[in-house]
């Protein structure tokens, strides 16, 4: 899918995208001029994870019980870690459960 030079050129942008919402926005602007498919893949994943985190966090914040908060943090942390690891390895594997949905939802990025 992606060539080795394309992965090398986009790796720093891809990794930056996983630094919460700010990193995704910075990566989006870094990738705006010279489109890199590898970086765009990870930007879509990171934006999706950020929106999921904010959405789940805003809903779950009404229930301050740690038995509800802790699983959400674990779930998001695992997905974020998975995304970062695949970016570092130079792979374009969607995050489990939601990754393919993020790719479809943000296909214009």
């Amino acid at each position: 899918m992606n060539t080795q030079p394309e992965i090398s050129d986009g790796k720093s942008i891809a990794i930056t995208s996983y630094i919460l919402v700010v990193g995704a926005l910075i990566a989006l602007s870094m990738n705006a001029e010279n489109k890199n498919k590898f970086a765009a893949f990870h930007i879509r994943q990171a934006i999706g994870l950020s929106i999921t985190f904010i959405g789940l966090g805003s809903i779950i914040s009404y229930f301050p019980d740690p038995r509800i908060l802790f699983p959400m943090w674990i779930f998001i942390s695992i997905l974020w870690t998975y995304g970062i690891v695949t970016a570092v390895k130079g792979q374009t594997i969607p995050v489990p459960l939601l990754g393919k949905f993020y790719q479809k939802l943000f296909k214009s990025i």
Side-chain angles (χ1 to χ4, degrees):
M1 181 177 177
N2 294 306
T3 64
Q4 193 59 39
E6 184 175 43
I7 291 170
S8 298
D9 292 343
K11 194 176 273 193
S12 62
I13 297 171
I15 294 167
T16 301
S17 70
Y18 287 102
I19 304 172
L20 302 176
V21 177
V22 174
L25 295 175
I26 291 170
L28 192 59
S29 68
M30 289 170 65
N31 200 42
E33 191 172 315
N34 297 326
K35 299 281 185 188
N36 182 293
K37 291 178 184 177
F38 176 75
F41 173 87
H42 285 285
I43 291 169
R44 288 188 293 269
Q45 296 291 291
I47 288 174
L49 286 171
S50 295
I51 290 171
T52 302
F53 174 70
I54 292 168
L56 282 175
S58 63
I59 292 168
I60 292 176
S61 67
Y62 292 106
F63 308 100
D65 187 352
R67 292 175 292 174
I68 297 172
L69 294 173
F70 189 68
M72 189 232 16
W73 278 99
I74 295 296
F75 174 70
I76 293 295
S77 297
I78 289 171
L79 293 182
W80 239 305
T81 302
Y82 187 87
I84 291 169
V85 168
T86 59
V88 169
K89 287 183 174 182
Q91 300 171 330
T92 54
I93 302 171
V95 294
L97 302 175
L98 301 169
K100 290 181 182 179
F101 174 70
Y102 296 153
Q103 291 301 313
K104 290 178 186 174
L105 185 64
F106 302 114
K107 64 184 170 194
S108 62
I109 294 176

